[in-house]
């Protein structure tokens, strides 16, 4: 065991500290005479380099303002509808508000100028003068600032373009360009300070042409920079180097390249200003450093005694606090030691207060727990009502879209967009309610032996529209047998479809997706891979939590609530499995692996033919007589749309919106099937069904619930009330027709 270091009084430690701190200063004072000239010149270099950075920043800020204005103009509704003449007027109006803009042009993706605000609409337009920045926009789909070039007009004026892409539905439709003259940069290059080191300020475009200059602009603007300047500024983003100016003077050049425009901002200073010797005026620094060392050492000896006394008092106060006694210190001349004494006194008070707060917090925690239980119950009620209120307006919209489709009026791309977005909203509602059920442990699974390949087939069909719309290539490697699991086919289909949809969303168009399934770790493994945007390492541990998503664009084009992967994990764990995510980082794709236990007695999957196919309109007729269906819904739009769709399918339909109307129709219309909305005003659907049974007895129709409530408890209640089927809004018309037709052999009037 090593011996402890010798103990010294505090005053000697302070003397050693002062001496050790100031000795390097004394040494520095001895050599500063030989170094100060170089250091002063470096300081001047830093100043002119900061000035070059400031010039670059000012230029980029000016360009950013023009880009933002162009981007706002690119959102014009006239471009949405191809109204170029109206956009010509709008572009001219915006151009007049920008003093630096010479004109605004709109270009097609093949480089044709479609309009120019300096030319009347319809007038012949010259060809594109500057091609490089246009090509960059096509390649990167990002705003860019081009180099200076001569115009195609008669004056051959010098100017440079600012270009932004005009995107619609994820595709480049136009390139919007503002043409800026070099004169507009005069105020930017003007020197705002009185720094004597600055001589000339210059802006140079990416091709090395001088665009703005404070000295002799008429002589040099538009001329190429010197080869040495172009070579040095292209080698790095910023720096200072010695050169010869365009007019032959020896100078230092401080430059900074702008980002992302890639222009060069330069500040040129004569060499004589930066190399002037200043060493002689600083010889006194060495003597001052020595005097400071002696004075500081003496001061440390004088004040150390007072500090020692205060530290001893602080030690005694800390010992008293440890024994549970009130600590006390006399005020000290050292502020930190005074604060230490006050802190020790406050610590004693806080210890006593914490004991009281602990007891109060325990009582508050118990109260908060009870409130949380009540809040959870209220949330459950809210989610049930939310699902009902969201499904009610969706029902007539979805049904009306089906009516339009059957009439042949829904073949336009706009109708397809509406149909896809409606399906997306319905999925969001289902995901939100599924997460609520999982959180409450109320999601029931209908497990049965099945082949995982059948689940994968259904999931691929569900995700196919999105995959095709984004032009992805999907590779599958799945055995059609020997993948037995015990599970809920619908929920496992939801798991695989969510993984495929997630991969399709976060993979740029034209990507590659791969789906594999086979034996893995004594069970069955399913892997979904993509070459998309990948995952950040810090996001992966939280990826399967509700409402957690990766970075999104401002327009949130991928959509979703962040529930898909949370549902995947919950449903997989409910089946006794696990799910994992892996990615090599952003831009390197991602891989999701699902493991499920193998079931040795799994039976073959149900054939696809078991799914009910759409019933032709003529199938609704039995022996020449159309089936009578009564639709009862207080939502007039939903009822009328569903009735029209049933009529188009070959049924005879009557509509009612409340209990009295429903009873009247039951007496006069004598329906064979009754679709009742559970949430009717005054008398609900259960009450309506009961009253119809009382009136018609054995001639009562077959009842089916039509409602926005979709929880398991709602289905159980409708079944207990004698309803043969429980349809959740928005209703699947094929499922409804299949249900009605399944009653045909036994349709004898009994409910």
């Amino acid at each position: 065991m090593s011996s402890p270091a010798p103990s010294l009084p505090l005053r000697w430690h302070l003397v050693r500290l002062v001496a050790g701190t100031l000795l390097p200063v004394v040494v520095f004072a001895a050599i500063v005479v030989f170094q100060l000239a170089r250091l002063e010149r470096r300081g001047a270099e830093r100043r002119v380099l900061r000035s070059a950075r400031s010039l670059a920043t000012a230029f980029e800020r000016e360009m950013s303002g023009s880009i933002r204005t162009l981007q706002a103009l690119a959102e014009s509704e006239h471009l949405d509808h191809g109204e170029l003449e109206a956009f010509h007027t709008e572009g001219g109006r915006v151009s007049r508000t920008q003093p630096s803009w010479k004109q605004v042009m709109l270009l097609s993706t093949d480089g044709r100028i479609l309009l120019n605000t300096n030319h009347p609409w319809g007038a012949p337009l010259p060809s594109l003068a500057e091609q490089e920045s246009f090509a960059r926009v096509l390649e990167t789909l990002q705003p860019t600032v081009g180099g200076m070039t001569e115009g195609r007009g008669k004056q051959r004026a010098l100017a440079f373009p600012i270009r932004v892409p005009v995107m619609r539905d994820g595709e480049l439709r136009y390139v919007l360009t503002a043409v800026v003259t070099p004169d507009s940069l005069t105020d930017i290059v003007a020197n705002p300070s009185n720094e004597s080191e600055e001589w000339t300020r210059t802006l140079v475009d990416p091709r090395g042409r001088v665009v703005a200059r404070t000295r002799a602009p008429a002589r040099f603007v538009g001329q190429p920079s010197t080869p040495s300047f172009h070579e040095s500024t292209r080698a790095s983003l910023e720096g200072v180097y010695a050169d010869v100016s365009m007019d032959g003077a020896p100078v230092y050049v401080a430059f900074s390249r702008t980002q992302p425009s890639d222009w060069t901002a330069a500040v040129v200073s004569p060499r004589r200003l930066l190399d002037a010797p200043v060493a002689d005026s600083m010889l006194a620094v060495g003597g001052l450093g020595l005097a400071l060392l002696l004075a500081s050492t003496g001061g440390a000896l004088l004040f150390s005694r007072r500090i020692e006394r205060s530290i001893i008092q602080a030690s005694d106060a800390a010992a008293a606090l440890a024994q549970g006694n009130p600590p006390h210190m006399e005020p000290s001349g050292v502020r930190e030691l005074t604060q230490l004494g006050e802190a020790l006194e406050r610590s004693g008070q806080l210890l006593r207060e914490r004991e009281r707060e602990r007891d109060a917090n325990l009582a508050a925690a118990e109260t908060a727990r009870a409130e949380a239980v009540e809040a959870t119950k209220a949330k459950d009620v809210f989610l049930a009502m939310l699902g009902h209120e969201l499904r009610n307006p969706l029902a007539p919209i979805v049904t009306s879209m089906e009516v339009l489709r059957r009439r042949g009026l829904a073949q336009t791309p706009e109708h397809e967009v509406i149909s896809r977005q409606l399906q997306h909203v319905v999925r969001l509602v289902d995901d939100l309610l599924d997460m609520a059920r999982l959180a409450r442990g109320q999601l029931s699974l209908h497990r049965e032996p099945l082949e995982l390949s059948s689940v994968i087939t259904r999931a691929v069909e569900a995700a196919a529209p999105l995959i095709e719309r984004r032009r992805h290539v999907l590779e599958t490697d799945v055995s059609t047998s020997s993948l037995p699991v015990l599970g809920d086919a619908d929920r496992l289909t939801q798991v695989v479809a969510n993984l495929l949809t997630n991969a399709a969303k976060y993979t740029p168009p034209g990507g590659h997706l791969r789906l594999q399934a086979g034996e893995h770790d004594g069970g069955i493994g399913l892997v979904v891979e993509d070459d998309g945007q990948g995952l950040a390492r810090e996001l992966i541990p939280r990826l399967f939590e509700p409402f957690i998503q990766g970075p999104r664009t401002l327009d949130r084009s991928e959509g979703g609530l962040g529930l898909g992967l949370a549902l995947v994990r919950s449903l997989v764990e409910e089946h006794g499995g696990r799910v994992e995510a892996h990615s090599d980082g952003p831009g390197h794709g991602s891989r999701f692996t699902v493991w499920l236990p193998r079931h040795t007695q799994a039976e073959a999957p149900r054939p696809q033919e078991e799914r009910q196919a759409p019933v032709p309109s003529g199938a609704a007729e039995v022996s020449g007589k159309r089936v009578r269906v009564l639709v009862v819904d207080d939502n007039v739009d939903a009822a009328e749309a569903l009735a029209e769709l049933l009529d188009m399918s070959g049924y005879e339909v009557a509509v009612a919106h409340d209990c009295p109307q429903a009873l009247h129709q039951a007496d006069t219309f004598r329906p064979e099937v009754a679709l009742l909305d559970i949430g009717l005003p005054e008398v609900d659907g259960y009450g309506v069904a009961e009253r119809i049974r009382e009136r018609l007895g054995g001639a009562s129709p077959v009842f089916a619930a039509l409602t926005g409530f979709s929880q398991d408890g709602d289905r159980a209640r409708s079944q207990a009330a004698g309803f043969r089927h429980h349809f959740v809004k928005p209703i699947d018309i094929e499922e409804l027709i299949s249900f009605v037709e399944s009653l045909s052999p036994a349709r004898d009037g009994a409910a």
Side-chain angles (χ1 to χ4, degrees), residues 254-586:
F255 68 93
S256 177
R257 296 229 313 267
T258 67
Q259 296 297 324
S261 302
D262 202 31
W263 285 42
T264 302
V267 175
V268 181
S269 303
R271 294 189 197 178
R272 55 182 175 78
L273 295 179
L274 301 185
D275 292 338
V278 293
D280 293 342
S281 62
M282 301 301 295
L283 289 177
V285 172
L288 179 62
L290 180 60
L292 182 61
L293 176 62
L294 296 176
S296 299
T297 302
L301 290 172
L302 290 176
F303 293 110
S304 61
R305 294 182 182 273
R306 183 184 302 175
I307 298 175
E308 281 180 336
R309 288 195 298 270
S310 298
I311 292 177
I312 293 173
Q313 289 183 4
S315 177
D316 295 339
L321 179 62
Q323 296 173 1
N325 299 321
H328 179 71
M329 279 185 60
E330 295 294 333
S332 172
V334 180
R335 179 184 300 173
E336 287 76 8
L337 291 175
T338 300
Q339 293 174 344
L340 174 60
E342 295 172 351
L344 289 172
E345 293 179 0
R346 288 196 301 270
S347 297
Q349 297 175 357
L350 287 174
L351 286 175
R352 294 187 292 273
E353 292 175 0
R354 291 294 182 269
E355 292 178 355
R356 294 191 295 268
E357 290 177 359
R358 180 191 59 194
D359 296 335
N361 288 337
L362 288 174
E366 183 61 27
T367 302
R369 187 192 67 80
E371 293 175 351
V373 171
E374 293 300 321
T376 299
K377 293 180 180 178
K379 181 195 68 175
D380 293 344
V381 174
F382 167 76
L383 286 175
M385 292 305 301
L386 175 65
H388 179 267
E389 294 303 319
L390 289 177
R391 293 179 190 278
N392 271 338
L394 286 175
I397 300 175
V398 172
T399 307
S400 298
M401 284 297 299
E402 180 64 17
V403 171
L404 291 177
R405 187 186 69 80
R406 295 200 175 198
R407 289 178 174 174
L409 302 177
Q411 307 302 320
T412 65
E414 291 78 6
H415 286 88
E416 292 297 326
V417 169
I418 295 172
S419 179
R420 287 197 303 270
Q421 298 305 318
L422 279 174
Q423 294 172 6
H424 181 60
V425 173
V426 172
R427 285 197 302 273
L428 292 181
V429 174
D430 290 340
D431 285 351
L432 185 61
L433 297 180
D434 282 347
M435 280 305 302
R437 297 190 193 104
L438 283 168
R440 300 192 304 272
Q442 296 180 354
L443 185 66
S444 61
L445 298 179
H446 303 288
R447 291 183 175 90
E448 60 179 346
L450 53 87
E451 276 286 344
L452 187 62
S453 59
S454 65
V455 168
I456 294 174
T457 299
R458 293 171 59 188
V460 170
E461 290 177 0
L466 177 61
I467 295 174
E468 294 174 359
R469 189 166 68 251
R470 295 181 67 85
R471 305 187 307 279
H472 295 319
V473 176
L474 174 62
E475 299 179 13
T476 58
D477 183 8
V478 180
S479 173
T480 58
S481 61
S482 302
L483 301 177
V485 295
L486 181 65
D488 186 317
D490 292 335
R491 293 303 183 180
L492 289 178
T493 299
Q494 186 177 2
V495 167
V496 182
N498 279 3
L499 291 177
L500 286 173
T501 300
N502 193 71
K505 283 182 180 179
Y506 294 97
T507 299
H512 291 78
L513 313 181
R514 182 173 176 81
L515 190 153
Q516 295 176 281
E519 296 184 359
H520 179 69
D521 286 349
I524 295 176
L526 183 143
V527 180
V528 176
E529 293 182 275
D530 63 72
D531 57 359
Q533 67 184 47
L535 301 168
R537 180 176 301 176
E538 62 273 11
L539 178 64
I540 292 178
R542 302 171 54 239
L543 191 63
F544 294 100
E545 297 177 10
F547 310 113
I548 296 298
Q549 296 176 307
R552 314 297 295 273
T553 58
L554 288 177
D555 58 0
R556 289 186 59 84
S557 59
E558 295 89 358
L561 297 173
L563 297 176
L565 292 180
L567 280 170
V568 166
R569 182 180 66 176
S570 299
L571 291 173
V572 169
E573 291 177 352
E574 287 288 326
H575 283 83
R578 63 180 182 270
V579 61
E580 299 173 351
H582 174 77
S583 176
D584 292 331

Side-chain angles (χ1 to χ4, degrees), residues 388 630-634 656-659 662-663 674-693 701-707 709 717-718 721-723 725-726 729:
H388 179 267
L630 174 61
V631 177
V632 184
D633 195 335
D634 60 317
H657 303 301
D658 53 26
C659 181
L663 296 178
L675 304 176
L676 304 184
D677 180 17
I678 298 302
L680 292 173
E682 298 180 1
V683 179
D684 61 17
Y686 300 123
V688 172
E690 183 178 354
R691 286 165 172 76
I692 291 178
R693 289 194 186 98
V702 174
F703 291 103
L706 178 63
T707 176
F709 295 105
R717 183 181 177 188
S718 67
F723 284 74
H725 203 286
H726 189 99
K729 298 179 180 179

